[in-house]
Amino acid sequence: MAETPPLTAAIQQRADEHTKVLLSGEIDILSAPQLRVALDEALSDGARVVEVDFSGVDFCDCYGLGVLLEARRRATAQGTALRLVSVTSPLVRCLLRRTGTAAALLGPTGEVSSRKLEGAERSR
């Protein structure tokens, strides 16, 4: 049985009240708590926008999705925009599309991005 790639998270804070969380690896029941810690840290710095870069994420399960939605609720309550960017994994795109969470998690461009996600899934 192949070992799951560990999740790594790096937080980059910018002077313009933006924070980027760079993720790499897989998000599942074992790594979701690590994701929660990284998002809690990013949301505690007072940023107006938190971007969660998924370009290095190959897989995300329902536990990871739950953590993302919980972080989004917390961000909204404190007046922070939280959005996923660079979602390149077909598995993650499928998860967002099938759960109806693409628009909520992809931010202001979520509507356009979710149409792209639907088109990408149909073309398979």
Side-chain angles (χ1 to χ4, degrees):
M1 186 166 159
E3 190 172 316
T4 301
L7 179 68
T8 60
I11 298 174
Q12 297 176 340
Q13 296 174 339
R14 299 185 338 208
D16 61 353
E17 295 186 334
H18 279 65
T19 296
K20 185 173 254 188
V21 181
L22 299 162
L23 300 175
S24 180
E26 294 187 358
I27 304 169
D28 58 17
I29 190 171
L30 298 175
S31 60
Q34 185 180 351
L35 174 61
R36 178 176 285 113
V37 168
L39 294 175
D40 285 349
E41 183 179 335
L43 289 169
S44 69
D45 75 357
R48 302 297 298 156
V49 176
V50 174
E51 291 183 342
V52 184
D53 187 326
F54 258 60
S55 61
V57 176
D58 301 319
F59 175 80
C60 181
D61 70 5
C62 60
Y63 291 98
L65 181 60
V67 170
L68 292 167
L69 293 171
E70 177 186 309
R72 183 181 178 276
R73 281 190 291 275
R74 179 175 165 207
T76 300
Q78 68 187 40
T80 300
L82 183 137
R83 63 180 172 246
L84 305 185
V85 297
S86 302
V87 179
T88 58
S89 166
L91 293 173
V92 176
R93 290 193 315 252
C94 182
L95 174 71
L96 296 176
R97 183 185 60 79
R98 290 191 177 185
T99 59
T101 56
L105 290 172
L106 295 173
T109 59
E111 210 172 287
V112 171
S113 296
S114 71
R115 276 189 245 128
K116 287 181 184 176
L117 292 177
E118 289 171 12
E121 291 300 317
R122 279 192 212 124
S123 66
R124 291 171 151 214

